[in-house]
Amino acid sequence: TVYQDLGTTVSLAWYNFAGTVLPVLNALFMYGMYPEGSAAGGAMSTAWWFGMIDFVVFIGLMMVLKWPVGIRMFAVSWQAYFSMCFLNPNDTTYFSPGISNIAIEGAAVGPLVGTVIGCVLSVLCLCFWPGGTVLCALGGAQELAVEVAWAEGNLWRHMIKHYTGKERSVLVDKLQGECLENKGRLDALAACLGSNSWWECF
């Protein structure tokens, strides 16, 4: 979850949390309907078919909805585990028997608590950076903007010198390389000012 700037870290933490809470709520719903899963009736029982249909619908929704990849990745992986436990008649994993009777030691709620702790710690790591400044996308954008402006000024100075000179030189080839390098800085600046910096506005 921890990444190179605060905005990306907050977005990844949110995707991680949302991708965990969705299957946890679904697992609480499944075990609320059938607290023992398919253990009571075995394979091909009503509970088993309920779990299978629930799994197919959940995975189908994750594939169809245009949610960020991080949310879908975590949601599908957790739901696969919860559904395998529900569908296996011999499974002894303990799950909270519904939303009205949540147990922290349950196999669904425990990972959610761990996810919340991990997300909070990952954001705090970047908020209190030892260097005294926060590694943020907006700060990176400011530094890149200064570099772009400085490089642009240098490009203009070199172009004027080249095209007003009496002799043509290989300087024009160097200018093309510098233009491409500055284009890379502009792309990085656009990335910093895109979705990453939005997550820092809290």
Side-chain angles (χ1 to χ4, degrees):
T1 304
V2 177
Y3 203 64
Q4 61 188 2
D5 58 65
L6 181 62
T8 308
T9 300
V10 172
S11 68
L12 292 175
W14 172 250
Y15 298 157
N16 191 342
F17 171 75
T20 304
V21 77
L22 291 172
V24 166
L25 290 174
N26 190 43
L28 292 174
F29 167 69
M30 289 192 309
Y31 281 94
M33 297 294 289
Y34 296 94
E36 297 178 3
S38 60
M44 302 298 176
S45 63
T46 306
W48 189 91
W49 281 110
F50 169 79
M52 183 60 72
I53 292 169
D54 179 89
F55 177 69
V56 170
V57 169
F58 187 91
I59 299 301
L61 285 174
M62 289 299 112
M63 297 300 108
V64 170
L65 296 174
K66 298 292 184 182
W67 288 348
V69 175
I71 293 176
R72 290 186 285 169
M73 179 181 66
F74 278 100
V76 167
S77 64
W78 279 117
Q79 187 58 47
Y81 167 64
F82 297 153
S83 291
M84 284 190 288
C85 292
F86 187 89
L87 295 172
N88 184 1
N90 301 318
D91 187 77
T92 57
T93 307
Y94 175 72
F95 283 85
S96 301
I99 295 177
S100 60
N101 191 11
I102 294 177
I104 298 296
E105 65 273 11
V109 180
L112 179 61
V113 172
T115 298
V116 170
I117 292 171
C119 290
V120 169
L121 289 178
S122 65
V123 172
L124 289 179
C125 283
L126 287 179
C127 285
F128 301 103
W129 193 252
T133 57
V134 177
L135 299 175
C136 62
L138 289 174
Q142 289 175 337
E143 292 176 7
L144 283 169
V146 170
E147 289 178 19
V148 166
W150 183 83
E152 189 76 23
N154 268 348
L155 278 170
W156 278 106
R157 185 165 52 84
H158 291 148
M159 282 190 291
I160 292 170
K161 181 179 179 182
H162 173 74
Y163 287 108
T164 57
K166 295 179 180 179
E167 296 180 3
R168 295 287 179 252
S169 67
V170 294
L171 181 63
V172 72
D173 295 327
K174 183 181 177 188
L175 291 176
Q176 289 176 347
E178 289 179 3
C179 284
L180 290 174
E181 189 178 344
N182 212 29
K183 172 75 167 56
R185 291 190 192 99
L186 282 171
D187 292 340
L189 177 61
C192 287
L193 292 176
S195 59
N196 295 350
S197 61
W198 181 88
W199 288 95
E200 295 173 353
C201 301
F202 59 88

